[in-house]
Amino acid sequence: MRAKVFVGLLVAVVVNIVTSLSAHAATIPVTVATETGLPTDCTLADAVRAANTNLVVNGCPAGDPSPITDTIQLKAATYDLTAYVTPTVMNLTEGTRLVGQGRAQTFLAQTYDSWVNFTPDVLQSTPQQYELSSLTLTGVMLASFYGISHSTLIASDFGIVDGSLTIDSQDTAQAEATVDDARLEQGHIYVTQRDSSHLTAALKNIYATRHDSNEKNTIQLQTDSTNPGNITIEDSTLDATGYTGLQGEAISNTNPNGNNIVTVRNTDIVSYPTAIQHRECPFPIIYSLVIENSSIGGDGMSKGIVVECGHLSVKNTTFHDINGSAISMITNTNTFGTTYPSRVEVANSTFTGITPTLVDGKYGQGIIDIITNLADPLPNASSLSLIHNTFARNTLGSYPVISLTDGTIMGDLTLKNNAIEGLPLDGSHTLNGTAVVTHNLTTVPYASDYASGFKTVSGFVLGALIDNGGMAPIGYHGTGGHVLTMRPQYGSPLIDDAPSAGLTSDQRGGSRSVLGAYDVGAVEVSLAEYTADGGVWGAVSTLANTGANLYTMIGVGLACMAAGI
């Protein structure tokens, strides 16, 4: 059984703690790491009682009454919490800061399968703030903020070893939680938003490493509340390199509700079997999962992102070295017997080093794999939009870049300004919506559906997959550098061969239409790069080619019209 630290935030309204009050809060220094029973010592249990009762307890000074947030200052030591399995010993009934001497020096430890109630089980009406900082949790622990009104959780300079932290909002809660600068070794973070609760949670600078074969999901989200909520994972590294036989995902989002938005930003996900899974939607979804400026892939990964319901928006992200599909979209009937449409929108992203391989009997039949084996009419169908993406240096074998699995029912299909090495599209499907397929370049002649929206070229003349700079650095404290990209070199047919597709910037955050028109693919070549490669601005009369040899295809249902530009 995996270790668990349970932090529930059942609240009514999030109220900020008044800074001036916090400035006068009591500091209760813990003087010994074990329970000595001596009246001159201040043990951890004594300190908790002093904070709760606002009275002197043995060698501990009195805490201050709520809403002032007391600080319990821990020594650099290991605190064996096995003795504190009685809930009243460790219940923090008022907002408290529990501060160690650094996560490598202060440990709250337990033996296997012991539990500690860390916060109260009674509803409170005054603002409360709880903080855990400069310490590491090891073993199994229950730190429950269940039943608190007006609550905020902050965890920083924080470690979890063979354990987990759960942030849980229920009922009519309104809660805020921040986890910043956390190291996980066989550690997990669970975030749940249930009932009609509200939750804003930010997980920042998370570094997850050291795994075992029995591990499940590193970050588990359950967002099925009927009220709004936002969960953000950013500036993090979730790295499973070298750990074979892992189960589960780096990030799993179950029961996502339409009022919730989960955003993954500036994050590096490496070598998990599945990077992100989004499934079991009980309600219609609008942009419930957003991936921005991130990197996904690595040895051992067979599924990048799996969307079984809801909407996925991917921007400025690179998928690499995946032995399966980068994105799989499946529209299925959910556990409540209802089918809702899925939509995937991908823009300014790079796909490279991907080998489509059949996984679990259904995934992996293309770099982007669309599976909608349902007889439901629109709107219960999947929609796909790909704009300004680069698919290059993949090993496709007999698979296409985009697989519309036989029987798939499509809603809308939009393919604009994509650079595609290999067979662009395959699979028998029914189009119930509108297709806009235009200004895509491919290296394999394509004469099937929407063929007028593709032009064949002999090659893309792309540079190496390297850090070409660009948007914010990714990963834990930016250790991942920038998202790797492949920019077109001088002489590439991708340069200036498309009109605007509505995007004002490229994958690196640079401006589109640098040289007069728009480059096909994820990266727009800057003027400095163009001249450094040997190009001369204005020397070629066709420099501002807007794709005169391309055609656009606009279709409604299965009646499609092709018109030259």
Side-chain angles (χ1 to χ4, degrees):
M1 177 180 179
R2 279 269 64 76
K4 296 181 179 178
V5 176
F6 182 86
V7 180
L9 302 172
L10 181 59
V11 295
V13 180
V14 175
V15 179
N16 292 328
I17 302 301
V18 179
T19 303
S20 61
L21 291 176
S22 297
H24 301 289
T27 296
I28 305 171
V30 174
T31 59
V32 293
T34 58
E35 295 301 311
T36 64
L38 298 176
T40 56
D41 290 336
C42 179
T43 68
L44 179 54
D46 292 338
V48 170
R49 286 192 290 268
N52 288 343
T53 63
N54 305 316
L55 298 172
V56 173
V57 178
N58 292 328
C60 298
D64 288 324
S66 178
I68 299 175
T69 301
D70 298 326
T71 297
I72 296 176
Q73 185 70 62
L74 301 173
K75 291 164 54 89
T78 297
Y79 296 81
D80 185 357
L81 301 183
T82 306
Y84 302 146
V85 292
T86 303
T88 55
V89 174
M90 281 297 291
N91 263 11
L92 290 167
T93 58
E94 293 184 352
T96 306
R97 300 177 66 237
L98 192 60
V99 181
Q101 301 297 319
R103 62 183 172 219
Q105 300 181 64
T106 305
F107 299 88
L108 301 182
Q110 293 181 263
T111 56
Y112 182 75
D113 218 17
S114 58
W115 297 77
V116 173
N117 249 350
F118 203 48
T119 51
D121 291 331
V122 294
L123 184 67
Q124 297 199 3
S125 59
T126 56
Q128 304 293 326
Q129 180 165 311
Y130 293 87
E131 297 186 26
L132 302 172
S133 64
S134 301
L135 55 85
T136 292
L137 302 174
T138 66
V140 185
M141 182 176 180
L142 173 64
S144 171
F145 285 85
Y146 182 82
I148 304 173
S149 175
H150 312 317
S151 186
T152 301
L153 167 69
I154 299 174
S156 60
D157 185 23
F158 188 69
I160 304 174
V161 177
D162 196 24
S164 60
L165 170 71
T166 299
I167 302 164
D168 188 17
S169 64
Q170 302 180 40
D171 198 8
T172 58
Q174 291 195 11
E176 289 186 0
T178 299
V179 180
D180 191 359
D181 198 7
R183 294 291 296 263
L184 280 57
E185 296 186 25
Q186 291 181 206
H188 312 272
I189 296 176
Y190 300 114
V191 180
T192 61
Q193 180 189 357
R194 294 181 278 183
D195 306 321
S196 56
S197 63
H198 302 250
L199 174 64
T200 299
L203 310 181
K204 303 185 294 184
N205 288 303
I206 309 299
Y207 182 67
T209 185
R210 196 170 70 81
H211 309 271
D212 66 36
S213 59
N214 294 320
E215 276 190 55
K216 299 301 182 182
N217 308 320
T218 297
I219 298 178
Q220 172 72 56
L221 311 175
Q222 180 178 336
T223 55
D224 57 354
S225 170
T226 56
N227 280 320
N230 288 281
I231 300 171
T232 302
I233 302 164
E234 61 183 331
D235 302 326
S236 296
T237 296
L238 310 179
D239 189 356
T241 302
Y243 295 95
T244 59
L246 289 180
Q247 303 179 37
E249 299 98 36
I251 301 171
S252 179
N253 187 24
T254 60
N255 290 353
N257 181 268
N259 293 314
N260 296 284
I261 298 176
V262 175
T263 301
V264 180
R265 181 185 299 119
N266 302 345
T267 291
D268 194 7
I269 302 176
V270 186
S271 294
Y272 283 79
T274 301
I276 303 172
Q277 183 125 353
H278 188 68
R279 60 189 171 211
E280 298 177 11
C281 302
F283 307 107
I285 309 298
I286 299 177
Y287 288 119
S288 52
L289 180 60
V290 178
I291 315 297
E292 297 178 343
N293 195 45
S294 294
S295 178
I296 295 173
D299 291 344
M301 187 174 292
S302 58
K303 303 172 192 172
I305 301 175
V306 178
V307 180
E308 294 187 5
C309 57
H311 293 174
L312 168 68
S313 173
V314 179
K315 301 176 182 177
N316 309 317
T317 292
T318 290
F319 296 81
H320 64 95
D321 303 307
I322 299 172
N323 200 32
S325 289
I327 297 174
S328 295
M329 177 172 65
I330 305 174
T331 298
N332 283 325
T333 301
N334 65 16
T335 55
F336 301 93
T338 306
T339 303
Y340 292 111
S342 296
R343 183 164 75 233
V344 170
E345 299 176 352
V346 186
N348 283 343
S349 294
T350 296
F351 299 76
T352 188
I354 298 170
T355 304
T357 305
L358 190 62
V359 179
D360 296 339
K362 57 181 177 180
Y363 304 100
Q365 299 180 76
I367 293 176
I368 294 181
D369 197 9
I370 311 299
I371 306 169
T372 319
N373 294 316
L374 297 168
D376 299 313
L378 194 72
N380 291 340
S382 299
S383 293
L384 174 66
S385 173
L386 303 178
I387 300 176
H388 272 298
N389 301 290
T390 297
F391 300 84
R393 297 173 187 155
N394 300 291
T395 304
L396 293 174
S398 61
Y399 290 111
V401 169
I402 305 164
S403 172
L404 301 177
T405 304
D406 287 347
T408 287
I409 301 172
M410 292 297 300
D412 297 329
L413 178 65
T414 300
L415 306 175
K416 293 182 179 180
N417 299 8
N418 297 289
I420 300 175
E421 282 187 354
L423 181 65
L425 192 66
D426 197 14
S428 172
H429 63 282
T430 300
L431 182 69
N432 283 343
T434 299
V436 179
V437 183
T438 179
H439 292 91
N440 302 284
L441 267 61
T442 178
T443 58
V444 173
Y446 181 70
S448 189
D449 296 330
Y450 325 115
S452 60
F454 296 90
K455 182 175 76 172
T456 304
V457 296
S458 60
F460 291 156
V461 194
L462 290 169
L465 182 71
I466 61 173
D467 186 340
N468 284 301
M471 303 182 75
I474 62 170
Y476 180 72
H477 294 300
T479 53
H482 299 90
V483 173
L484 303 183
T485 55
M486 296 180 291
R487 73 170 182 85
Q489 307 291 296
Y490 174 67
S492 171
L494 302 177
I495 296 175
D496 273 13
D497 201 43
S500 172
L503 302 181
T504 58
S505 61
D506 72 346
Q507 183 173 2
R508 301 181 296 180
S511 175
R512 287 284 180 185
S513 188
V514 171
L515 300 179
Y518 294 77
D519 295 351
V520 175
V523 175
E524 190 85 16
V525 178
S526 70
L527 181 57
E529 290 168 335
Y530 183 79
T531 55
D533 286 348
V536 179
W537 170 246
V540 182
S541 60
T542 58
L543 195 62
N545 173 18
T546 57
N549 296 322
L550 295 175
Y551 294 88
T552 184
M553 194 288 304
I554 301 175
V556 179
L558 294 178
C560 301
M561 297 179 63
I565 295 177

